[in-house]
Amino acid sequence: MVPSSPDAGPSCAGSGEGAQGPEEGSAGASQAAPATQSPRKDLLARKARILVEFLLEKYTKKEPITQNALMKIVSSKYRQHFPEILSSVREHMELVFGLEMKEVDHRGNIYTLIRKLNFGGNDCPRDEGALPKSRLLMVLLGVIFMNGNHANEEEIWEFLSMLGVYAGRRHCIFGEPRRLITKDLVQKEYLNFHRVPNSDPLCYEFLWGLRACVETSKMKVLEVLAKFNGRVPSSFPDLYDEALRDQAEGSGLRGAARAPTKAEASAPSRAKSCSSSHI
């Protein structure tokens, strides 16, 4: 899901001056990135990420988007892959930002971005105007799920960098991302963010929060995760089996009485969160 190294692209409009982006060649490549990812796919993913940032800038400025401008960013060298890249970009814009790319002038190949109102039955969060944040939340819950129901900061920011979202750099859709995911979503109990006991050097991790456990399910999150990767839920066998078990147990808080797994037994702090044992 995550390119092995970020590549510099245009910033989202409204970015804070002097903000720092991710360090090149980050030491902690996300475990979510498939080890067998080909260089071509990695490069195309980075091209897609640059297009996502370009589209967000156009959306913020309310400017039309032309296919020629998009193809210029991709460059003629990758023209044959343009349909594949654009398809991925449109999927990411819808899944993460709640924006649908519509063609408004077929002859001129001119597009615009409009706000998509529904999200496949997702109920959280319900605050007015929070649709893009709810979509980002579902994707973050998916990253936590696929990393064994807990993900450290490094893994989360490595993933977000693929979407052009960086700690300390104001985003035109999400505002200040660090505040959003470590404070706002934590205070609303959609995420659990805490220090890993006895970690040296100091390390923090994310887990599912109480409201996430109640208002969504592993299967719903897996569906989003699969769609984000252009796949189906069953193509992630281990996650799919876990989601089916979770689904069979019913909705709401279900794991209070379940015995911890071997991994959870070795990490008592994680057992305190519903995400590490029973989401």
Side-chain angles (χ1 to χ4, degrees):
M1 293 177 60
V2 184
S4 56
S5 62
D7 122 303
S11 297
C12 182
S15 298
E17 293 183 9
Q20 296 291 323
E23 295 181 5
E24 296 223 5
S26 174
S30 171
Q31 295 176 10
T36 57
Q37 186 176 29
S38 71
R40 183 187 72 85
K41 283 190 174 292
D42 186 63
L43 180 59
L44 296 185
R46 282 183 280 167
K47 289 287 184 182
R49 198 207 72 192
I50 295 172
L51 281 187
V52 166
E53 294 194 27
F54 173 77
L55 290 175
L56 287 175
E57 187 172 353
K58 288 292 187 181
Y59 175 74
T60 303
K61 295 178 178 178
K62 302 186 184 304
E63 295 177 350
I65 303 154
T66 66
Q67 183 169 302
N68 286 339
L70 297 176
M71 294 188 72
K72 187 175 180 180
I73 293 175
V74 173
S75 80
S76 58
K77 183 178 179 181
Y78 301 99
R79 181 180 295 269
Q80 62 179 321
H81 300 297
F82 181 76
E84 178 186 350
I85 294 172
L86 185 61
S87 176
S88 173
V89 166
R90 296 178 83 148
E91 198 75 70
H92 289 192
M93 292 298 291
E94 180 181 335
L95 282 171
V96 182
F97 303 108
L99 298 173
E100 186 175 4
M101 193 171 171
K102 287 279 191 180
E103 190 171 27
V104 293
D105 184 342
H106 179 69
R107 289 175 299 177
N109 289 321
I110 298 175
Y111 303 88
T112 189
L113 293 166
I114 62 172
R115 184 64 59 84
K116 194 172 177 67
L117 297 180
N118 56 48
F119 188 32
N122 174 38
D123 296 324
C124 62
R126 299 177 183 176
D127 307 81
E128 184 178 354
L131 178 63
K133 295 177 183 178
S134 72
R135 290 170 178 269
L136 179 66
L137 172 61
M138 288 294 279
V139 175
L140 289 175
L141 292 175
V143 175
I144 295 170
F145 179 26
M146 76 182 304
N147 278 282
N149 294 312
H150 54 85
N152 61 43
E153 275 194 288
E154 201 171 75
E155 291 164 337
I156 291 294
W157 290 114
E158 179 80 11
F159 172 79
L160 290 177
S161 72
M162 184 184 71
L163 304 174
V165 178
Y166 310 115
R169 179 184 294 182
R170 184 169 181 79
H171 193 272
C172 56
I173 300 291
F174 303 124
E176 208 298 293
R178 182 177 291 281
R179 176 179 177 81
L180 172 64
I181 70 173
T182 65
K183 295 188 181 300
D184 297 347
L185 293 177
V186 171
Q187 288 175 356
K188 293 174 182 178
E189 298 186 320
Y190 287 111
L191 293 176
N192 187 331
F193 179 65
H194 65 250
R195 176 183 175 181
V196 178
N198 305 317
S199 58
D200 185 19
L202 189 64
C203 178
Y204 288 82
E205 67 179 2
F206 290 90
L207 303 93
W208 283 35
L210 181 62
R211 287 182 70 182
C213 297
V214 173
E215 296 182 14
T216 191
S217 67
K218 286 185 176 179
M219 187 58 76
K220 284 184 181 180
V221 167
L222 182 57
E223 288 169 357
V224 173
L225 187 66
K227 191 173 183 181
F228 191 89
N229 284 275
R231 298 161 71 180
V232 295
S234 58
S235 63
F236 299 90
D238 293 340
L239 298 179
Y240 188 65
D241 288 344
E242 185 175 347
L244 284 176
R245 291 194 299 270
D246 174 77
Q247 195 174 54
E249 291 171 2
S251 59
L253 295 176
R254 300 171 293 274
R258 268 174 57 181
T261 64
K262 184 182 296 184
E264 293 159 355
S266 64
S269 65
R270 291 170 183 155
K272 294 178 182 179
S273 169
C274 56
S275 63
S276 62
S277 56
H278 57 69
I279 311 170

